[in-house]
Amino acid sequence: MSRLLQALLVSLSMVLSAAATASQQEPQAPQVQVTPKVLAKGLHYPWSMAELPEGGWLVTERPGNLVYLNPQGQRMHIPLDLPDLYATAQAGLFEVLLTPDFEQSRELVLSYSCGTEQANNTCVVKAKLSPPNAAGYALSALQNIFTALPKKEGAAHFGARMTWLGDGSLLVALGDGFVYREQAQNLQNHLGKIVRILRDGKVPEDNPFTHTQAPEVYSYGHRNVQGLVFDAERNKVWQHEHGPKGGDEINDIVKGGNYGWPMTSFGKDYTGALVSPYNDLPGVKAPLYQWTPSLAPAGLALYQGDLLVSHLAGKRLQRLRLVDGKWHLIAEYLVAQQQRLRAVMVAKDGRVLVLTDSNEGELWSLDLDIQQ
């Protein structure tokens, strides 16, 4: 047998192996019936939420609005001046995240897409929220603390989820810009990376790639991160990201880790072509769970040691449990509602809060311990 034929057979075997692995699915999880309580309506493509210690929630709307919802669901607009906000398609205002010492400092951080159609990327600002008063809330001391570079064209794959680590540093997830996917392996920029910065925007001295032109980089090889949470009990960072056509992933994020994109993937390109024949390679951190077909995970929260994942295309809320180092699907909720779900969080009182993704979005409250 010629060497060329041997090589072709080996390549074909690898492709078939990758396709077979990508098609493997867990047994279907039970669909648990819960009835959501609608806390608020009329939200314009809501993207994230944060619970205030005095009660109520801050909610971002992708076109650029920051709103306060009181416990009765009444809406109050909070003036927000982001002069370089770029809002169209997937671009706009993304995450609002309170600082760990918010009750004392009243500081929060916001992520959003900044720039123009021809030159944009993800930015992060910090600001102070006034204490509640009769006139409502106001923001002050708005300051940019991070801008992802280089600037890129288009309005896709910004990432923009954020979480605080136990040491008070901030992780910011960044997308690959869609048509720039090869840059996810380039340590000289921020595309397709998770970055770690201090609260003032400075670079931590113990970041893994401080010798590069992008010293903020913490991990790389990501496509479009849409879920990010710090698990203090396990001292872990859990993340999920969109694959292409298949291959959405849950990952255990470690400092300096390479998560493979686009060298490895369980998904195919939207044309049907393989992105890569590999779903694993030496030196690449393999996902702990993957969805094929894609469900488009869009939010992530910790609940009683499990992960809750809200889905856009999948129109459901899933619950996964860690067993022997792998995440396993144990339950699905809200399937009957058939709504795109943008975000999920767990309130201080144990309720699960979910944002639906539409021009008339809603904030829902669930009690997962009560089954209807």
Side-chain angles (χ1 to χ4, degrees), residues 48-234:
S48 76
M49 55 194 149
E51 185 178 15
L52 291 174
E54 59 264 25
W57 305 274
L58 298 178
V59 175
T60 59
E61 295 176 325
R62 198 173 68 236
N65 305 316
L66 179 64
V67 300
Y68 168 68
L69 298 176
N70 69 15
Q72 290 74 45
Q74 296 171 318
R75 172 192 174 119
M76 181 183 298
H77 179 74
I78 301 174
L80 175 62
D81 182 17
L82 296 171
D84 58 346
L85 173 71
Y86 173 57
T88 185
Q90 295 179 14
L93 179 59
F94 300 126
E95 183 120 60
V96 56
L97 185 66
L98 307 184
T99 56
D101 66 347
F102 177 82
E103 292 193 54
Q104 293 75 43
S105 69
R106 302 293 295 184
E107 284 191 339
L108 54 80
V109 290
L110 296 159
S111 61
Y112 66 103
S113 49
C114 52
T116 66
E117 181 180 356
Q118 292 75 32
N120 62 75
N121 217 315
T122 306
C123 283
V124 180
V125 295
K126 71 174 181 177
K128 283 195 172 186
L129 184 71
S130 66
N133 57 62
Y137 288 98
L139 287 176
S140 63
L142 193 75
Q143 175 188 352
N144 175 274
I145 60 171
F146 177 76
T147 299
L149 296 172
K151 297 284 188 177
K152 59 178 184 59
E153 288 189 71
H157 292 199
F158 292 91
R161 291 291 182 189
M162 302 184 290
T163 193
W164 297 101
L165 296 183
D167 62 3
S169 61
L170 178 67
L171 292 185
V172 183
L174 304 168
D176 67 350
F178 189 59
V179 297
Y180 304 87
R181 63 190 186 193
E182 291 79 9
Q183 295 302 313
Q185 291 293 320
N186 183 353
L187 289 172
Q188 304 301 323
N189 65 49
H190 298 127
L191 295 173
K193 315 298 193 302
I194 293 176
V195 299
R196 175 174 172 246
I197 58 175
L198 300 178
R199 188 159 153 171
D200 58 5
K202 293 180 180 178
V203 178
E205 293 181 357
D206 60 342
N207 267 9
F209 304 112
T210 55
H211 59 288
T212 69
Q213 296 179 41
E216 300 89 352
V217 171
Y218 188 78
S219 64
Y220 64 107
H222 302 293
R223 186 172 182 268
N224 189 23
V225 181
Q226 292 293 292
L228 192 65
V229 64
F230 174 60
D231 184 342
E233 185 174 337
R234 298 185 179 102

Side-chain angles (χ1 to χ4, degrees), residues 352-369:
V352 174
L353 304 180
V354 174
L355 285 174
T356 68
D357 177 63
S358 78
N359 189 38
E360 291 292 329
E362 298 181 345
L363 174 62
W364 293 349
S365 170
L366 317 172
D367 189 338
L368 298 190
D369 296 323

